[in-house]
Amino acid sequence: MWVLLRGGYPLRILLPLRGEWMGRRGLPRSLVPGSPRRRYRKEALPALEVPVLPVTATEIRQYLRAHGISFQDGHSCLRAPSPFVKALQLKDQTGATASFSLFIDKTTGRFLCMTSLAEGSWEDFQASVEGRGDGAREGVLLGEAPEAEDSEEVQRIWDRAIPLWELPEPEEAQLARVMFGLTKVTDDTLRRFSVRYLRPARSLVFPWLSPGGLGLRGLKLLSAEVQGDEVHYKETTIPRPGVYHNLFGLPLISRRDVEVVLTGRELDSLALNQSTGLPTLALPRGTACLPPALLPYLEQFRRIVLWLGDDLRSWEAAKLFARKLNPKRCSLVRPGDQQPRALEALNQGLNLSRILRTALPAWHKSIVSFRQLREEVLGELSNVEQAAGIRWSRFPDLNRLLKGHRKGELTVFTGPTGSGKTTFISEYALDLCTQGVNTLWGSFEISNVRLARVMLTQFAVGRLEEQLDKYDEWADRFEDLPLYFMTFHGQQSIRIAAQDYIVGAFRKFATDNSCHVTLVIHPRKEDDDKELQTASIFGSAKASQEADNVLILQDRKLVTGPGKRYLQVSKNRFDGDVGVFPLEFNKSSLTFSIPPKSKARLKKVKDDNGLVTKKPSSGKKGAVPQNSKTCLGQAHHPYQPDPSKPSR
């Protein structure tokens, strides 16, 4: 979100929502779709962005009462009779009305009808109730069906996949079981969950079945790669991850079930169900997110146990998901040496039922003792790299100082006007987004279309306007990223007191929701020959005081040549390391992490006789050697940290 302050000073907000993206590019050549679905049309214009007003649970209840719609209060949803089921279908054999089959999310207002599978936004529901617009037409709000190409691809892959026990060569079946850790998972378990094996891709195939198991809506392919002594898994979903909402194991759930175990992987669900006999469900995107569209399917359970993985990130995700599901009904399995992933526990001969009995309640009082925290402290000490957060792949120098991008922190970023703040922070966010960090962009300064164009150029590392034939290919990959944009746009004038309130509100939001918030704030007016400091941030000292990290994009105006950009970390609450590192802008890719192609530049140097001569600095015959003190690439800038000294 970007808020424009009085006097033309904008405050911009970048919200990564946490938590590997991938499309379907990893399929064998014979299974990859054909030509792109879309074709570029020069006359095509972008659709207008219409802001959607947020809705609260109180407003939803008031609306239902005003229209005479009875409802029941659930854990995360409101239940009501569905207006999308015909009158004849609402009656059972005794003439009584059917049970409440419509679920309305208390937070977003989005609804799902379990009977007709109609779903949509709160505005769609209002339109249907009031008999206006497209929402009133029968079938308009039915759940989005897969595109024809996706449906054909899903069916083609499913038909080619076969059960493991039907492989013609026993050695191949045994190798597949070893690769995926299924040596102790029985054929009966694989048959019950309808798991198959795709031989050309050497991948397990997990189906996404419609409620009741009547139709095939999508697939997840899991491949295994051996790297050294470890096995790494790669997931590919059809349709794309953003709309792949498969609670694996849902067709096996009975209406009478009141307890369920949520896992982060399908393999763990197989192991848990086989070992304990309890209902188990696997989240479609693991620890990355819990899509709101899945909440109605979890309303029937009085107790939910989250056993998502065996590392610190899984534990943090479990606590976050419990808040969304209602922590009073949730319990968490804490990762540990004797409590690994469910599949590993089965292979090690551990008692999975005993591990489930050690699950800790997610609900706790406001005051805790160290006894309740000691295991979490040990977890951070034992997993230093994970505790440091997600590391940037494009900015290794940023990793050296900040160590990583952590949840629950507030970062303030500033820099002179025209220095490239928006361009840098978009690449900063894109780096994290490509690693699976859910990201919400809010901009009051530039439109979402222009922002998305910049990020797509950075993602493709090149100008797509010069190669439009590749636009669909890059756009499809970009669409798979967990990236979202707010629809608010335009100048907003606020006073400094209001800015302090906003900063405090985002500080609280980051802490309460375990979400990293990045604010981009313009600096005060400073002299061009002076570098910016932490005190240069516009407004009072509230922003720098509340921030965990302060980043400053320095743009030095050099008299002898073009300006030099440096990123300065002036505050780091995690471990105190601060310092600076140089940045070089690549105009063709709009990136700071990928330097432009080297060009020969003439630099004045003195020879042994004191005479001034001109020599090319690099890239051509006669260039000054890279280890020469006069080489432009080795010239030491007064604000560049000395590698022989500590960075603190």
Side-chain angles (χ1 to χ4, degrees):
M1 194 182 343
W2 298 13
V3 182
L4 192 59
L5 304 180
R6 187 178 300 277
Y9 297 95
L11 172 130
R12 294 171 280 182
I13 303 143
L14 175 65
L15 299 173
L17 305 181
R18 291 284 317 173
E20 161 180 77
W21 74 272
M22 55 185 62
R24 56 192 185 197
R25 309 291 182 250
L27 294 177
R29 290 182 180 272
S30 61
L31 300 177
V32 173
S35 57
R37 297 188 299 271
R38 299 180 297 276
R39 293 184 178 179
Y40 172 76
R41 293 188 302 168
K42 187 175 181 180
E43 69 275 13
L45 296 177
L48 295 177
E49 296 180 345
V50 180
V52 178
L53 297 178
V55 63
T56 65
T58 301
E59 293 172 339
I60 296 175
R61 294 187 183 97
Q62 291 175 348
Y63 181 87
L64 295 177
R65 292 190 184 104
H67 287 79
I69 301 176
S70 57
F71 62 89
Q72 299 172 352
D73 220 324
H75 299 286
S76 55
C77 299
L78 298 176
R79 297 185 61 178
S82 176
F84 306 104
V85 182
K86 294 181 180 180
L88 292 178
Q89 293 176 308
L90 286 173
K91 300 281 186 178
D92 60 18
Q93 296 179 353
T94 61
T97 57
S99 60
F100 293 4
S101 61
L102 185 75
F103 293 80
I104 305 175
D105 192 299
K106 294 180 182 179
T107 304
T108 64
R110 189 168 184 84
F111 69 88
L112 169 66
C113 174
M114 291 292 193
T115 303
S116 65
L117 298 183
E119 60 181 329
S121 66
W122 174 243
E123 289 73 20
D124 294 332
F125 176 76
Q126 290 176 306
S128 297
V129 171
E130 299 168 14
R132 56 178 172 82
D134 292 341
R137 298 204 307 266
E138 181 180 0
V140 166
L141 299 176
L142 288 181
E144 180 182 2
E147 297 185 13
E149 181 180 333
D150 284 342
S151 300
E152 295 175 0
E153 184 179 4
V154 165
Q155 195 61 49
R156 183 169 66 252
I157 294 175
W158 185 246
D159 291 341
R160 295 186 63 178
I162 59 176
L164 273 176
W165 58 89
E166 292 184 5
L167 287 175
E169 299 179 4
E171 295 80 7
E172 183 180 4
Q174 182 61 24
L175 177 61
R177 287 183 175 275
V178 172
M179 288 292 293
F180 294 102
L182 297 177
T183 54
K184 293 190 176 182
V185 177
T186 65
D187 291 343
D188 183 62
T189 300
L190 297 175
R191 184 183 297 107
R192 191 164 60 253
F193 282 86
S194 302
V195 180
R196 295 186 181 183
Y197 182 74
L198 185 63
R199 298 183 68 191
R202 296 182 180 179
S203 303
L204 290 179
V205 182
F206 303 102
W208 177 14
L209 300 173
S210 300
L214 301 178
L216 187 63
R217 303 185 63 181
L219 297 173
K220 175 184 285 191
L221 279 72
L222 182 68
S223 60
E225 298 178 357
V226 178
Q227 299 180 4
D229 297 334
E230 297 182 352
V231 177
H232 295 267
Y233 298 102
K234 179 180 179 181
E235 295 179 350
T236 304
T237 63
I238 308 174
R240 59 186 178 83
V243 293
Y244 182 80
H245 295 156
N246 177 25
L247 274 174
F248 179 72
L250 186 62
L252 301 179
I253 299 295
S254 168
R255 291 186 178 182
R256 296 188 297 270
D257 292 329
V258 295
E259 181 179 353
V260 70
V261 183
L262 295 184
T263 68
R265 300 190 313 179
E266 290 78 6
L267 297 177
D268 293 324
S269 287
L270 298 176
L272 263 170
N273 183 266
Q274 175 180 304
S275 180
T276 66
L278 293 174
T280 60
L281 296 173
L283 299 179
R285 296 177 60 186
T287 60
C289 70
L290 174 58
L294 303 181
L295 297 181
Y297 297 102
L298 302 174
E299 277 293 303
Q300 74 179 71
F301 302 108
R302 300 175 187 172
R303 183 171 184 257
I304 298 178
V305 180
L306 291 100
W307 190 350
L308 301 185
D310 56 0
D311 56 10
L312 186 61
R313 293 174 187 170
S314 302
W315 174 248
E316 294 295 333
K319 292 190 292 184
L320 187 62
F321 295 170
R323 297 181 59 181
K324 184 180 292 188
L325 293 167
N326 187 347
K328 293 184 178 180
R329 62 168 175 160
C330 294
S331 298
L332 316 177
V333 175
R334 186 191 300 278
D337 293 337
Q338 296 301 314
Q339 297 183 171
R341 286 184 176 273
L343 182 62
E344 295 178 9
L346 176 65
N347 292 332
Q348 294 175 18
L350 301 178
N351 190 321
L352 275 67
S353 297
R354 182 178 301 171
I355 294 177
L356 288 176
R357 288 195 294 269
T358 66
L360 304 175
W363 179 258
H364 55 77
K365 297 181 180 179
S366 300
I367 300 177
V368 296
S369 64
F370 178 73
R371 181 178 182 181
Q372 297 168 281
L373 300 175
R374 62 180 297 164
E375 292 300 326
E376 293 191 41
V377 173
L378 176 61
E380 291 204 1
L381 294 175
S382 305
N383 301 273
V384 176
E385 291 187 1
Q386 293 184 18
I390 303 294
R391 296 173 65 85
W392 287 270
S393 60
R394 296 192 177 202
F395 301 101
D397 289 320
L398 200 55
N399 295 326
R400 177 174 56 85
L401 296 174
L402 289 181
K403 306 304 182 294
H405 182 271
R406 294 168 290 277
K407 297 184 295 182
E409 290 190 354
L410 174 68
T411 295
V412 170
F413 178 61
T414 190
T417 301
S419 60
K421 293 188 299 298
T422 303
T423 306
F424 172 81
I425 207 67
S426 64
E427 186 181 9
Y428 163 104
L430 180 65
D431 188 329
L432 298 168
C433 195
T434 55
Q435 299 182 64
V437 178
N438 296 311
T439 304
L440 174 63
W441 252 101
S443 167
F444 283 176
E445 212 172 48
I446 64 174
S447 67
N448 288 335
V449 174
R450 290 185 59 189
L451 179 60
R453 178 181 175 180
V454 170
M455 299 186 75
L456 182 58
T457 301
Q458 294 172 334
F459 183 65
V461 196
R463 300 274 185 175
L464 290 178
E465 56 263 40
E466 300 173 358
Q467 41 185 349
L468 291 177
D469 57 321
K470 296 183 179 180
Y471 174 78
D472 280 315
E473 177 184 352
W474 285 107
D476 285 343
R477 298 181 183 180
F478 191 74
E479 190 176 332
D480 286 340
L481 295 177
L483 178 65
Y484 308 89
F485 301 91
M486 293 183 183
T487 56
F488 303 105
H489 180 64
Q491 178 171 335
Q492 303 290 330
S493 297
I494 61 175
R495 289 181 292 272
I496 292 180
Q499 178 185 345
D500 289 350
Y501 172 79
I502 292 173
V503 171
F506 275 104
R507 166 74 272 175
K508 186 176 186 299
F509 179 86
T511 303
D512 293 347
N513 296 278
S514 191
C515 166
H516 193 117
V517 180
T518 299
L519 305 180
V520 185
I521 310 178
H522 275 224
R524 302 175 187 271
K525 294 296 183 181
E526 301 280 4
D527 295 335
D528 291 340
D529 59 343
K530 293 183 179 180
E531 286 197 336
L532 298 179
Q533 306 294 331
T534 302
S536 302
I537 299 174
F538 181 79
S540 67
K542 180 76 171 179
S544 58
Q545 291 173 353
E546 293 283 5
D548 297 286
N549 314 294
V550 175
L551 308 181
I552 303 176
L553 183 59
Q554 302 284 6
D555 190 8
R556 290 278 295 174
K557 304 298 183 183
L558 302 181
V559 178
T560 58
K564 295 292 183 180
R565 294 186 179 95
Y566 294 84
L567 187 68
Q568 177 182 356
V569 178
S570 61
K571 182 179 181 181
N572 176 7
R573 190 171 282 167
F574 179 70
D575 66 356
D577 282 353
V578 296
V580 300
F581 60 89
L583 295 173
E584 189 171 2
F585 181 62
N586 187 330
K587 190 174 182 179
S588 64
S589 60
L590 302 181
T591 59
F592 285 94
S593 61
I594 303 175
K597 295 181 179 179
S598 60
K599 297 180 180 179
R601 297 180 181 177
L602 295 180
K603 179 179 177 70
K604 293 182 179 181
V605 296
K606 291 183 179 181
D607 60 13
D608 296 338
N609 298 324
L611 298 178
V612 176
T613 60
K614 292 183 178 180
K615 294 184 179 181
S617 61
S618 63
K620 298 289 184 179
K621 183 178 180 181
V624 179
Q626 290 295 319
N627 59 356
S628 171
K629 293 183 179 179
T630 60
C631 178
L632 183 62
Q634 294 294 326
H636 179 69
H637 191 277
Y639 296 93
Q640 185 174 353
D642 188 343
S644 64
K645 298 180 180 180
S647 59
R648 184 179 178 88

